[in-house]
Each structure stands twice: as structure tokens, then as C-alpha cells.
Amino acid sequence: MNAIKSVFIIILFVLSLNVFATDDYITTSDLNLRSGAGKNYKSLGTISKGDTVKLIDNTRKYWMKIQYHDKIGYSSKKFLEEIQIHEVKKKEETLEENESGSFAELIAFILLFVVIPIMLTKTGKKHRDITLAKVVSFFFGAFGFQKFYLGQTDKGILSILFCWTSIPSFIGLIDFIKLVLMSKDNFNIKYNGKSIPIKKVIIKTQKTQIKKSSKQIKVSPKPIPQNKQEHKNTDQSIIDVNTVNLDLTIERSISSEDSTDPPYWENTYVYSYDEIIHATKAQKKYYYHFKYKVLNNEFVDIQGNSNYAFILYFDLLNEYENNRDIKLLENQFKILGQICPKTKSYSLNALQDELRKLNDSYSADKLKDLEEPSYQFEYGYSDYNPDLYKLGNQYKDKLELDKQEIKWLNKFYNPSNVFTSIEGCCIAIIKQYVFILKELNKQLKQKETTLVKEITYFKDQLKSNYADQYNSEWGVSDSNYYSNRAESEVYLTIFKRIENSVRATFGHKRKVTSDFPFVDKNLSEEFEIRLGIFLNELIVMFNDNVQKPDFETQIELNSQNVNRWKIDFNTLKNSFQKEDKTKFIEGINNLEETNQKNPNIENIFFEASKFIAKYDSVQSLKYYAKYIYYDLKSKKIDNKELSKTVQKSLFKSNEQINDFKQIVQELIKTSDIQKALDTISKIYIPKRKKIKLDKSVIKEVEQRHDGTVELLSEYLETKKEETIQINSENEEIEISVAPTKTNNSILISEISIGKIQEELIMKIVFNSFKIHQDEVDKFAIVNGLFKHQLIESINESCENHLDGEALIEEEEENYVIEESYYKEIAI
């Protein structure tokens, strides 16, 4: 008894070592799982705070290689904390040692008399082995454990209850002797319910016939022929005879016309084809019908009874051992997966295992295909579509893409940014991308290579480099990951370079990084030599293929780049002809339409008013009225003045000045721009009465229109020093607003910005010019602002000094600042 207890205590000690031997880490914050050791690498997903990850490599200074679920990548060490197991201090007092010993004995007792019987019972239900039964009877017969293993649970419980007597020991000894004397076949028949292996008996018949009246022989089922002719040609002189437990009343020759609903069969774990033995007669009959249908490529509704499908799965594998037709097995697995999707993953693994054993080219290519998740989904081996949200799938119908074009676009995850988020821009890139790839392939063929061969080269290079550096249990999966990543990065680099060309054509100044993104300089140089040079030449050569953006795309582009309108405006100025002013006016009208979402739209009309003043006074005043109209609607009122020279050219008398002041007053009060434009058309017609602009009238208007007080105050409130004045002596107009200035501590003096905005900018700069959006959200709430409101206020203050570009932009889940932009405006 003491020896047995010692054995179980040792078992417990080993189990405890296994439990506490860990290399797991816990995350102390939400963080990204990146594809490489650095912030510039792509995020493979987000790990939530408190999640557990597995350590793979800890040799780098700041980054750790980890596994999170089924993904492998890198994360910063400072956000990972090792899960430590504190050693239990030794008890110094004798009483505590006794209590510890008692607890260990209690655990050993539970393990011995509860856990082990349960495990033996479950193991015995699956399959009982005579050797193990002998061992259990000999060593644990005193507790009756062999009864649990042999399916005699009631007797096992009684043996445990009376183990303090010698009766269970005596019974265990008798069981051991019986098992020693029992043959393996008899053991299987008695305790497993299985027959002995099928024996093939060859009966040579020489002019003898088996008559119906003679004694019936129970014949084991033959494999169902795939066609009737094969069935007719079956050699009837060879009969498989099963000597035990085989029911011949089941008809094996099932015709294609047979059609029955599947008898219910409770779903269980199926470990082999032998599970058919436990089926009822009706279930066996239906199984043969089901198999016949599948072998003839017919769909069968088994109504969720998956046992039929899994038994057929093992049956097909058994038949494959004889026919060795891998293509036939593949087709059979496909239809089986359609009938019972639960078999798909098992079929895929089995097919891959069999393909690895073969050396022919078909098997090698098929194995390579089966490793691709997209191929697995396309051919029914998986229900997960990894390309569902990729560009190829999103635009295949809209752009009528062919299969090759879809594959090219599905090679990488969508490069999401503010430019590609505009559908018109994204479509323009896609069209140019597939066109350039076709041309690149043509050019490579002239060099006796292809795009596929070149990409395979980079995949192999990166895979071999990885294999040389790392040699661990994760090596195979990791090297495959890196080779697939190399392919993705090649196509993504091509896409980004084409994106930059489209950006330039569309007047979007900011570019994306388009270098081949690997640390290995030799590999990057090889990319330029093997692909980059040809690619860059083709992009320049076919840049004219990129169509100009449509109306909707123009609107979205102008909302992102507030100074983009200057490109078209300069073109209008340079091509202006005094005799044909209508072309300039139409161009300004078009700019107004395409800049409706541009927060700085008023600047278009201010510049237009200055330019056209020397050619058309009425049109100049109309543009200036539109400037005031849009300036009143903007978040920040600029209140720019026309130069004195321009003012003198526009007004020749006090009457004209007073008329225009009245028009401005009415426009501020009503915001009726059309009325203002109609009135301006008559401003140079002599009037009988002069209209004097009085401040008291403006005050009265302000009181009557409380809803517009905030905007009117920019012009009218005395405390902000707003004045609308007329210098009658010089015949000049002056509309001015004294701006509120803030002394900057980090930015140039020309930029007015608040302390809260400065603080956020410094947070981003000190965090390597990047910050998570959630942090900005929290910061904004603490300061009584909204996240987007805070970001927009900073961008609006800086955009005029950055050629209309935004200082802070979104990048996936972060806000980022372009370092070069910051240096332009920093002190």
C-alpha cells in the first residue's frame, strides 16, 4: 500500500512540474502584434490587455517574438510581464508539515479512487486493450480498477468500497489469470464487441455451383463497384468470409434508385471504419446506400448524422491504400465535405499527409496550393474566406476583373489611408495596377523570366535566410509565414508605387512609403535590380493612362487637401485672356462646386476677386461678396482685406462705397448670397439717395438674430474690436477683425494655437510621432473637447504653412505626424 501511495505522490509531483513549467507572458496594455521587430512593421492584430501569449524568442533588446492564438509576431517587451510561479515556502513547524502531508494524501486519495477510475472508464469505452487490462488487474486488482476498464462499473465501485478486505484482491487475481489464459480474439469479442480480422478464403470452383438449398455462408461486404460493369466483372470465385459477428441480411448491391432517409445515429467520436460494427442493421444498410451515392459523385442529405460521413472518410482512406489514386481521393473528399462540412479539416490534413509521401510534380504543386488559405476556401476545404475584404473581392464585379487580376489584388491586405479611402482614387490605382502588372510580365518574359519566378525567388531567399537564423519547433511554420509575407510585400510595393503616381496625377502632394520593406539591404537592392527598375519605367511610360478624377472624387480630394484648388486656379490665371473672361468665370464656378467640403473654400474667391479686379469690377465685387459669405460659414473667420490698390480700382465714389457697405450689411444679416450678387450687378448705376452704414443698425440686427450672434460677433462685437468703416476721404473700404493671438512655445509665431493643442502635439512628438486614437480620445475628454474637434483645430491652424496639408493624419488605429512637416513649423 505504501508503495502504491508513493507512486501516486510521484505522479502528482510530475504533474505539478508540468503545470508550473511555463513560458507564458501576460500583456499589461493593449498592443499590436507586429510582423517584425519594429513599429514600422505591419500590425497582424491587436492583443487586449490581460491576454496571455507564448514566448518564442527573447534574444532582441526591445522586442520579443511571441505567439498569440494562431498568429506569430513581435511585440514590445515593456508591455509583457512574465507569469511567475512563486515557490511555496517550506514549513518550519512540524504541525504545518503534517498538515501538508495530510493534504497530499487527500489529493492522492482523490486521484487514486476518483480520477483514475473515471479515466479508465472513458478509455475503455473507446477501445479496450488486453495487455493494459492485464496490467491493471495485476497491479490494481486490490481496488477493482480492472472492472472500470472492462465496463463493469458497478463491480468496480463495490471493489473500492471493500478494498480494506482481501476480497477485491482475490477477485483481481482471478481476473488476471483469466486474461492471461484468454486469446486476443476472444477478448475483443467479449469486451470490444468486435470480430476477428477478416480472413480471405479463396474457393476454387471447378464446375461446381453453390445451390440455394445448401448451407448459407455469411459473406463479408465487398467494396462497392463504381459502375455496373465493374460489378458484373467481379470474380465470384473469391469470397471474403468473416467468421464472427457479420450480418449477411444487409444487401450490399445498392442500386442508384434506392433512396431512403438516414436512420438517426447519435453523433459520437469516430476513430476508424470499425465503428460501423456498432451500427444497427438499418444504419448499415443506409451507409452502403450513402457510400454508393458518394462514389458516383451524388450529393446526399444525411440530415446532420455525421457518423455516416466520418465512417466513409476512413473507408475512403482504406480504399486509397489499395488504389493509390490521389486525384480520386481528392474528388471524393470534396463531395464528402459538401455533404458534411465537419469532415473538411480532417480531409485537408489527410490529403496533405498523403501528398507529402509522393514525389511527382502534380503532388508537389497540389501540396503547395493546399497551403494557401484562399485555395482552401475556393476548393471547399475551408469555410473561411481570407480574401473576403481584400481589393480583388471587393471590386471584382464592379470592375469586371478576371481571375488573374483578382489574385493580384488579393495578394495583400488593403492599404488603408485617406487617399485610398476615396473610391474614385482606389479604382484609379486598381486599374493602373493590373495594367502595369501585365506590362511588367511582358517585359520580364523578354528577359526569359516571369513575375511569378521573380517573386518565387524572393520567397525562397527570405525563407532560407530565416531557416539559417532560426532553428526551433516553430521553424517550419515561421519560414512559411515569412515566404508568404515576401510575396505579399512585393505586390504591395508595386501597388504603393503606382498609388504615388496616381496621387501626383490627382494633385495630392503627400506620398506613401514605397520602398521594399525588409531590413536586409541586399534583398532590397535585388528587388530594385530584378523588378524595381522595370516597374518605375513602366509607371512613367503609362502615366497618361490614369484618367482625371470625376466630380465626386474631386470633392473628396479637395476636402482632404484644402489648397489643392490652387493647381486649377493657377492654370486659369495662366491661360486667362481679357477677351474671353467667361472661361475664367466658368473655371471658378467649377472650383466652387468641387470645393463644397473644403473648409477653406472662401480663399478661392478672395484670390479670384484680386485677380479679376483689373478686368471686371462687378465680377470682382461678386467674388469678394462670396468670400465674405463663405468666411462667415467657416469655423475660423479670417476677414482678409483687399489691398488699397484694388479698392481704389473698384470704387470711384462714396456712393459706390456706401452701396457696397449696405450690401455687405445685408449679407451678414440674411446670408442671402444670391440677393447680394444681384444687387452688386447694379452697384455702378447712379443712385438718387445715399445709404449710410450705421453701427446702431448693425447692433439692432445682432439683437434680432441671436442664432447668428457667434458668427456676427466676429464682425460686429466691440469687445473683439470689429469695425466696418468707410474712409470717405480716400474712398477705401476696411473690414477688419482683430484676431486673438496666443503666444506659442513650440511652433513659429505665425501660427496661433492653444495650450491644449500644443500639449497634444508634444505628446505625439515625444511618442515617436505616433499616438493611439484612444489616448487622444481620453485626452480630449479630459479637456472638455471631442477628439475630431481637437485634431481639426490643430490642422486648420497649421495648414496654411504646410501648403494645405494636414499636420496630423489617421493611420489605421493611430494618429501620426510627418516628422518633416513638424520641423517646418517648429521653433
Side-chain angles (χ1 to χ4, degrees):
M1 293 292 290
N2 290 334
I4 295 173
K5 288 176 66 178
S6 299
V7 170
F8 280 100
I9 291 172
I10 292 171
I11 293 172
L12 286 173
F13 179 74
V14 172
L15 289 174
S16 67
L17 288 178
N18 289 333
V19 170
F20 294 120
T22 178
D23 55 353
D24 290 343
Y25 282 70
I26 190 170
T27 58
T28 60
S29 176
D30 293 347
L31 68 159
N32 287 320
L33 179 67
R34 298 194 176 274
S35 59
K39 292 183 179 179
N40 294 329
Y41 286 89
K42 182 178 179 181
S43 175
L44 302 177
T46 302
I47 308 175
S48 301
K49 180 180 179 181
D51 281 359
T52 302
V53 299
K54 183 179 179 63
L55 173 66
I56 295 178
D57 180 30
N58 194 21
T59 58
R60 289 176 173 81
K61 187 174 181 180
Y62 299 108
W63 294 81
M64 295 173 63
K65 186 174 184 181
I66 59 175
Q67 180 183 14
Y68 179 64
H69 297 321
D70 60 339
K71 295 181 179 178
I72 296 174
Y74 294 82
S75 286
S76 176
K77 286 185 177 180
K78 64 182 180 180
F79 298 112
L80 297 173
E81 181 179 342
E82 185 177 4
I83 302 176
Q84 298 181 350
I85 306 302
H86 299 285
E87 295 182 357
V88 181
K89 295 182 178 179
K90 294 183 179 180
K91 307 299 182 179
E92 296 180 355
E93 297 180 3
T94 306
L95 179 60
E96 291 178 340
E97 291 178 353
N98 292 335
E99 289 177 353
S100 178
S102 300
F103 179 75
E105 290 179 356
L106 176 62
I107 295 299
F109 178 84
I110 294 174
L111 180 64
L112 182 63
F113 293 107
V114 178
V115 178
I116 293 179
I118 292 174
M119 292 174 62
L120 288 172
T121 302
K122 289 185 177 181
T123 304
K125 284 182 178 180
K126 297 177 182 178
H127 180 76
R128 300 182 180 95
D129 181 73
I130 187 171
T131 304
L132 182 57
K134 293 176 184 177
V135 172
V136 173
S137 298
F138 183 81
F139 290 101
F140 301 99
F143 304 107
F145 284 178
Q146 77 279 4
K147 299 296 184 182
F148 293 98
Y149 184 67
L150 297 175
Q152 301 169 350
T153 306
D154 296 337
K155 293 181 181 180
I157 294 173
L158 289 174
S159 297
I160 291 176
L161 293 176
F162 291 95
C163 65
W164 54 275
T165 67
S166 59
I167 296 175
S169 300
F170 180 74
I171 295 174
L173 180 61
I174 294 175
D175 286 343
F176 173 75
I177 295 172
K178 287 181 178 179
L179 291 170
V180 170
L181 299 176
M182 187 180 297
S183 68
K184 186 174 182 180
D185 292 335
N186 290 334
F187 176 87
N188 284 331
I189 294 169
K190 183 173 182 179
Y191 294 109
N192 286 323
K194 295 183 178 180
S195 62
I196 62 174
I198 297 173
K199 297 180 180 179
K200 187 173 287 188
V201 180
I202 301 177
I203 304 175
K204 296 182 179 179
T205 58
Q206 297 179 354
K207 299 181 181 180
T208 60
Q209 296 180 350
I210 301 176
K211 298 181 180 180
K212 292 184 180 179
S213 59
S214 60
K215 185 176 180 179
Q216 293 184 353
I217 302 176
K218 294 186 177 181
V219 183
S220 67
K222 289 180 177 294
I224 298 176
Q226 295 188 30
N227 53 63
K228 295 182 179 180
Q229 186 64 33
E230 181 182 346
H231 182 63
K232 291 179 181 179
N233 295 336
T234 303
D235 188 353
Q236 300 298 326
S237 65
I238 302 177
I239 304 176
D240 291 341
V241 179
N242 188 351
T243 58
V244 190
N245 199 32
L246 190 60
D247 191 349
L248 280 184
T249 60
I250 301 173
E251 178 61 50
R252 294 303 308 272
S253 297
I254 306 295
S255 68
S256 60
E257 289 78 14
D258 290 343
S259 177
T260 58
D261 291 332
Y264 173 75
W265 194 347
E266 182 180 2
N267 293 339
T268 59
Y269 286 104
V270 177
Y271 296 95
S272 69
Y273 173 73
D274 292 341
E275 298 294 333
I276 191 68
I277 296 173
H278 303 295
T280 63
K281 291 182 179 179
Q283 290 167 348
K284 290 177 182 177
K285 181 176 181 180
Y286 181 81
Y287 171 76
Y288 299 133
H289 160 77
F290 169 58
K291 178 179 179 180
Y292 179 86
K293 292 288 187 181
V294 172
L295 294 182
N296 283 277
N297 294 319
E298 295 182 37
F299 182 86
V300 182
D301 183 5
I302 59 175
Q303 300 177 11
N305 293 275
S306 61
N307 287 9
Y308 295 107
F310 279 102
I311 290 175
L312 180 56
Y313 162 78
F314 287 107
D315 199 355
L316 295 175
L317 283 175
N318 291 339
E319 291 190 359
Y320 170 74
E321 293 300 324
N322 295 324
N323 59 51
R324 307 304 297 177
D325 189 341
I326 193 68
K327 293 183 181 179
L328 175 62
L329 181 64
E330 181 185 0
N331 292 331
Q332 291 170 342
F333 277 166
K334 282 182 182 178
I335 189 169
L336 185 61
Q338 295 172 10
I339 295 170
C340 181
K342 291 181 180 180
T343 64
K344 287 182 178 180
S345 59
Y346 299 94
S347 298
L348 175 62
N349 292 334
L351 192 59
Q352 288 175 322
D353 290 341
E354 296 301 330
L355 287 169
R356 290 188 185 100
K357 300 174 184 177
L358 303 174
N359 298 320
D360 58 288
S361 59
Y362 172 83
S363 300
D365 293 339
K366 180 61 67 174
L367 182 60
K368 188 175 180 180
D369 290 337
L370 289 175
E371 290 175 353
E372 296 291 335
S374 56
Y375 185 92
Q376 294 174 12
F377 172 78
E378 183 179 357
Y379 289 92
Y381 292 105
S382 172
D383 294 325
Y384 167 67
N385 183 4
D387 299 332
L388 183 61
Y389 299 105
K390 293 183 179 179
L391 292 176
N393 275 40
Q394 288 184 19
Y395 289 97
K396 63 181 179 181
D397 297 327
K398 190 166 190 174
L399 300 181
E400 298 181 351
L401 303 172
D402 58 35
K403 280 191 174 183
Q404 181 59 68
E405 292 170 343
I406 293 171
K407 286 183 178 180
W408 280 339
L409 287 164
N410 286 341
K411 291 295 184 181
F412 50 85
Y413 288 96
N414 297 4
S416 177
N417 55 56
V418 292
F419 186 77
T420 57
S421 64
I422 302 173
E423 186 175 56
C425 300
C426 190
I427 289 175
I429 300 169
I430 289 173
K431 288 181 177 179
Q432 190 72 346
Y433 170 77
V434 297
F435 176 82
I436 293 292
L437 280 181
K438 290 175 182 177
E439 294 298 322
L440 179 61
N441 218 8
K442 291 178 184 177
Q443 199 168 104
L444 291 173
K445 285 180 180 178
Q446 294 176 3
K447 306 292 183 180
E448 297 183 353
T449 182
T450 63
L451 183 60
V452 173
K453 289 181 180 179
E454 293 302 317
I455 291 175
T456 301
Y457 171 80
F458 288 107
K459 290 174 66 175
D460 294 341
Q461 284 292 106
L462 198 62
K463 190 172 183 178
S464 61
N465 290 349
Y466 183 86
D468 293 339
Q469 294 178 21
Y470 301 96
N471 184 16
S472 67
E473 59 179 319
W474 308 97
V476 175
S477 60
D478 281 359
S479 60
N480 286 336
Y481 162 76
Y482 275 97
S483 66
N484 291 335
R485 182 187 160 201
E487 180 181 35
S488 174
E489 293 295 354
V490 169
Y491 284 104
L492 184 57
T493 300
I494 296 172
F495 186 89
K496 286 183 175 180
R497 293 191 182 184
I498 293 170
E499 178 183 344
N500 281 337
S501 71
V502 175
R503 283 175 175 243
T505 304
F506 280 18
H508 195 86
K509 292 185 178 180
R510 179 171 286 188
K511 294 184 177 181
V512 293
T513 303
S514 59
D515 296 330
F516 193 53
F518 284 101
V519 179
D520 189 341
K521 292 184 179 180
N522 293 329
L523 203 60
S524 298
E525 290 174 359
E526 282 197 84
F527 174 83
E528 297 302 327
I529 294 171
R530 302 176 76 98
L531 289 175
I533 296 174
F534 305 117
L535 174 63
N536 296 338
E537 290 176 354
L538 289 170
I539 290 174
V540 174
M541 184 185 304
F542 295 104
N543 189 59
D544 292 340
N545 286 3
V546 181
Q547 298 178 354
K548 297 295 181 182
D550 57 23
F551 180 76
E552 290 76 12
T553 305
Q554 291 271 26
I555 291 176
E556 295 301 327
L557 285 170
N558 290 332
S559 69
Q560 291 180 7
N561 188 342
V562 294
N563 286 336
R564 183 175 176 274
W565 59 270
K566 290 183 179 180
I567 300 173
D568 290 334
F569 183 77
N570 290 331
T571 302
L572 290 172
K573 286 200 306 180
N574 295 333
S575 62
F576 179 80
Q577 294 180 359
K578 187 177 180 180
E579 299 79 15
D580 189 13
K581 294 182 293 186
T582 55
K583 186 176 181 181
F584 179 84
I585 295 171
E586 289 173 357
I588 298 299
N589 290 340
N590 182 63
L591 284 177
E592 182 179 13
E593 291 177 355
T594 57
N595 282 271
Q596 285 301 308
K597 291 184 179 181
N598 186 344
N600 290 353
I601 185 176
E602 67 272 14
N603 293 331
I604 299 174
F605 298 99
F606 183 78
E607 296 297 326
S609 178
K610 289 194 303 180
F611 175 78
I612 201 70
K614 65 178 81 172
Y615 306 108
D616 191 330
S617 298
V618 173
Q619 193 63 45
S620 178
L621 291 178
K622 286 183 177 181
Y623 286 153
Y624 192 73
K626 280 198 173 184
Y627 164 73
I628 293 174
Y629 170 74
Y630 283 112
D631 197 31
L632 285 169
K633 294 172 67 176
S634 65
K635 294 181 180 179
K636 180 183 177 183
I637 298 177
D638 299 317
N639 192 27
K640 296 179 182 178
E641 301 177 28
L642 291 172
S643 68
K644 292 182 180 180
T645 303
V646 173
Q647 292 179 32
K648 287 181 180 180
S649 68
L650 291 173
F651 302 107
K652 304 303 180 184
S653 67
N654 286 336
E655 181 182 11
Q656 293 173 355
I657 295 172
N658 291 333
D659 286 347
F660 187 68
K661 287 175 65 177
Q662 186 179 14
I663 293 170
V664 170
Q665 178 187 3
E666 187 69 18
L667 177 61
I668 293 172
K669 182 174 70 171
T670 65
S671 293
D672 190 344
I673 185 61
Q674 189 57 49
K675 182 179 179 181
L677 296 176
D678 293 340
T679 308
I680 288 173
S681 300
K682 305 172 185 177
I683 197 169
Y684 293 105
I685 300 174
K687 304 291 190 303
R688 292 182 181 179
K689 296 173 64 176
K690 294 183 179 180
I691 300 174
K692 183 179 180 180
L693 188 62
D694 193 344
K695 267 192 175 183
S696 62
V697 176
I698 298 175
K699 290 285 186 180
E700 182 181 350
V701 171
E702 180 184 8
Q703 293 173 0
R704 262 188 274 149
H705 295 274
D706 294 335
T708 59
V709 167
E710 183 177 354
L711 291 176
L712 294 177
S713 64
E714 296 289 341
Y715 288 95
L716 307 176
E717 286 184 5
T718 304
K719 63 182 180 181
K720 292 187 179 178
E721 301 180 13
E722 178 191 357
T723 60
I724 302 179
Q725 303 176 1
I726 296 178
N727 188 328
S728 59
E729 294 180 0
N730 298 323
E731 299 183 357
E732 296 175 358
I733 291 181
E734 181 181 352
I735 301 177
S736 62
V737 175
T740 301
K741 291 188 177 181
T742 303
N743 293 327
N744 299 323
S745 60
I746 62 172
L747 304 180
I748 58 179
S749 59
E750 288 83 356
I751 297 176
S752 298
I753 198 169
K755 291 183 179 180
I756 296 173
Q757 285 82 353
E758 279 194 5
E759 187 178 346
L760 178 59
I761 291 173
M762 294 311 298
K763 275 180 174 288
I764 301 175
V765 171
F766 291 147
N767 194 45
S768 300
F769 295 93
K770 182 182 292 186
I771 191 171
H772 198 279
Q773 291 191 24
D774 290 344
E775 292 188 40
V776 178
D777 198 20
K778 293 175 184 177
F779 177 81
I781 291 172
V782 169
N783 289 280
L785 298 169
F786 291 108
K787 175 177 63 176
H788 296 295
Q789 178 188 14
L790 180 58
I791 297 296
E792 287 175 5
S793 66
I794 295 172
N795 287 338
E796 287 175 1
S797 299
C798 302
E799 61 189 8
N800 288 333
H801 299 275
L802 296 174
D803 294 329
E805 294 289 338
L807 177 64
I808 303 175
E809 280 199 339
E810 291 186 27
E811 186 181 90
E812 296 180 351
E813 297 179 353
N814 301 311
Y815 283 116
V816 297
I817 292 178
E818 178 65 37
E819 187 174 354
S820 61
Y821 285 9
Y822 173 74
K823 290 179 179 179
E824 286 184 29
I825 60 175
I827 296 176

